[in-house]
Amino acid sequence: MKAIVTGTTGQDGYYLSKQLLQNGYEVHGLVRRSSNINTFRIDPLISEYGPEGKFKLYYSDLIDSSSITNLINNIQPDEIYNLAAQSHVAVSFKNPIYSTHTSTTGTVTILESIRNGNKDIKFYQASSSEMFGGEKEEKLNEKSKLNPKSPYAAAKVFCHDMTKIYREAYGIFAVNGILFNHESPVRGETFVTRKITQAVGRIHLGLQSKLTLGNLDASRDWGFAGDYTKGMYLMMQHSEPDDWVLATGETHTVKEFASKAFESVGLNWEEFVETSDKYKRPNEVNHLLGDPEKAKNELGWVAETSFDDLVKMMVESDIESAEREKVLLENKLIKPTWEYHT
Ligand code: NAP
Ligand code: GDD
């Protein structure tokens, strides 16, 4: 089996590529060119499976339609997982055209290539719980109303609808995975969970003194990314294409996440966390809670990792990272610039 994975250098791209390779797939990953090599997450997979083996990488970009179409025509994959996106909601308010353009152009380009080329290629679209808008405290499922609140979410709604349209109009096996927030030790450092666990690691080792966050009252249904990429694969093996929600069915506030993370190293979060409007959004999604019943019944999928285990896994990994940073700092090989980056 051959799969193309867009966004292979991202969090989900790493877990999904790893699981597909372990299942014997040939994985063709798209990497966008940057001035620094940005394959740090997938470097272990490159060492184990590529580049002459089953893990092949290509420079491409969602906006470069011709390169994507050429790759699909040349590779003739069985499955395409479209994970690439400018995935940071707050950044999408600052870069709305780029954020919208990448998601929408990339998705339609792939769907058009399948329609005009080989209609047997299966397509997975990375849809998001962010599309619901999360105004009320309610369980959200595949039938819940979409009410996007950011350029990111509006672009995802467009891609979600186009995936459904290509499924219905052309009989393409095109699925939407409506995934609630999922995190891991390789989560991007400016998403709130990783920002917290990285700070906990550094504060625990005396490398950082304060953590500045935005809205502490927002709540999210947080699961472990490695569980969710298994769900993506199961959707693509289902007899009929459809849309499925993946979630834990539990929600926690940012404050609860921070409290649990600091508590795990014996610290009281209130002594270290301050807030700033800088990290608040022009339009906030206040509350997200998913109902994963359909995925459980039809795919046999459940989120296996508990909230407590997720926090623990991320904090432990970030303590190890902080220990490495401490050695580099002591030897004057790096400077602590993290306050500027988040
Ligand atoms: P991520 O870590 O931010 O990864 C995004 C990937 O997209 C990276 O590989 C990135 O490349 C790539 N990318 C960005 N712009 C691109 C462009 N113009 N052309 C080609 N590639 C581009 O995100 P993630 O957490 O793995 O999420 C994967 C997908 O699921 C995203 O579409 C996200 O919106 C969606 N999603 C995520 C969650 C979640 O909680 N994680 C929930 C629902 C939906 P670089 O490595 O070079 O930046
Ligand atoms: N990033 C960030 N940084 N968020 C903060 C901070 C902060 O300092 N302080 C509070 N928050 C709040 C945000 O306002 C939001 O309500 C919540 O923490 C979660 O923010 P993020 O971790 O940035 O994730 P997100 O929920 O906006 O988006 C993620 O999940 C979506 C699925 O619901 C991303 O992965 C999206 O790509 C994904 O679609």
Side-chain angles (χ1 to χ4, degrees):
M1 292 289 282
K2 281 193 268 186
I4 289 181
V5 178
T6 75
T8 192
T9 53
Q11 170 188 257
D12 291 3
Y14 162 69
Y15 284 105
L16 179 69
S17 300
K18 184 176 172 185
Q19 288 159 6
L20 292 173
L21 287 162
Q22 285 170 344
N23 286 350
Y25 275 60
E26 196 174 284
V27 175
H28 299 260
L30 271 48
V31 177
R32 65 175 172 158
R33 198 266 163 187
S34 59
S35 64
N36 276 321
I37 291 171
N38 63 348
T39 55
F40 68 95
R41 290 188 179 97
I42 55 170
D43 282 344
L45 304 180
I46 297 175
S47 305
E48 193 173 349
Y49 296 97
E52 304 305 326
K54 287 197 158 197
F55 190 33
K56 300 175 194 306
L57 299 174
Y58 310 85
Y59 279 122
S60 185
D61 194 293
L62 288 179
I63 291 171
D64 191 346
S65 300
S66 69
S67 90
I68 291 188
T69 302
N70 285 338
L71 284 171
I72 295 172
N73 289 340
N74 292 338
I75 295 164
Q76 286 295 312
D78 300 283
E79 298 168 359
I80 300 177
Y81 294 85
N82 185 29
L83 308 185
Q86 190 302 92
S87 72
H88 203 286
V89 175
V91 172
S92 82
F93 285 101
K94 299 197 164 93
N95 296 229
I97 297 174
Y98 176 73
S99 302
T100 309
H101 190 19
T102 47
S103 281
T104 57
T105 305
T107 305
V108 182
T109 298
I110 299 172
L111 287 167
E112 271 293 280
S113 300
I114 295 174
R115 176 171 85 91
N116 294 317
N118 176 357
K119 283 212 249 172
D120 290 334
I121 298 173
K122 295 182 180 181
F123 175 76
Y124 174 89
Q125 171 58 21
S127 280
S128 164
S129 52
E130 200 66 20
M131 302 187 303
F132 295 120
E135 268 170 8
K136 287 188 282 183
E137 300 197 5
E138 59 180 340
K139 270 205 165 185
L140 298 156
N141 66 25
E142 296 77 6
K143 296 199 173 103
S144 301
K145 190 168 167 270
L146 304 182
N147 179 23
K149 296 236 177 126
S150 63
Y152 166 82
K156 285 286 182 187
V157 171
F158 173 84
C159 299
H160 181 87
D161 287 343
M162 288 299 267
T163 299
K164 197 158 168 279
I165 288 166
Y166 273 64
R167 176 166 81 217
E168 290 169 359
Y170 307 117
I172 292 169
F173 190 105
V175 308
N176 282 304
I178 310 168
L179 273 50
F180 281 65
N181 297 49
H182 45 279
E183 321 294 309
S184 73
V186 296
R187 179 58 145 155
E189 292 158 76
T190 60
F191 295 97
V192 76
T193 55
R194 185 76 200 289
K195 185 173 165 182
I196 293 168
T197 60
Q198 208 168 37
V200 167
R202 287 172 179 156
I203 290 170
H204 180 60
L205 291 187
L207 309 181
Q208 187 173 335
S209 53
K210 285 278 170 205
L211 166 65
T212 311
L213 297 173
N215 179 7
L216 301 179
D217 296 319
S219 71
R220 291 291 183 273
D221 182 329
W222 278 300
F224 169 53
D227 291 343
Y228 287 57
T229 50
K230 286 183 190 160
M232 294 177 187
Y233 177 74
L234 291 174
M235 289 179 208
M236 294 287 260
Q237 314 315 313
H238 194 256
S239 53
E240 297 296 327
D242 203 344
D243 304 332
W244 287 275
V245 158
L246 299 186
T248 67
E250 247 182 60
T251 192
H252 297 272
T253 60
V254 171
K255 204 184 288 176
E256 281 167 357
F257 192 103
S259 161
K260 179 89 36 196
F262 277 91
E263 192 185 284
S264 72
V265 294
L267 298 174
N268 175 4
W269 72 280
E270 286 173 293
E271 289 172 27
F272 300 95
V273 175
E274 52 191 25
T275 58
S276 162
D277 286 348
K278 186 177 158 193
Y279 298 114
K280 292 191 176 150
R281 295 163 185 192
N283 208 10
E284 175 67 297
V285 170
N286 290 311
H287 190 83
L288 287 177
L289 171 62
D291 174 2
E293 272 305 296
K294 183 176 170 186
K296 186 179 170 194
N297 295 335
E298 296 183 2
L299 307 174
W301 181 89
V302 285
E304 284 167 15
T305 310
S306 69
F307 178 71
D308 286 7
D309 286 346
L310 175 67
V311 177
K312 186 166 176 277
M313 175 200 309
M314 292 178 70
V315 170
E316 280 174 2
S317 168
D318 276 325
I319 289 174
E320 281 176 25
S321 303
E323 280 164 353
R324 286 192 293 275
E325 279 173 351
K326 191 167 187 192
V327 174
L328 295 171
L329 282 166
E330 282 167 356
N331 289 291
K332 297 194 170 24
L333 294 169
I334 57 167
K335 285 189 175 170
T337 58
W338 39 78
E339 304 284 350
Y340 308 112
H341 289 303
T342 56

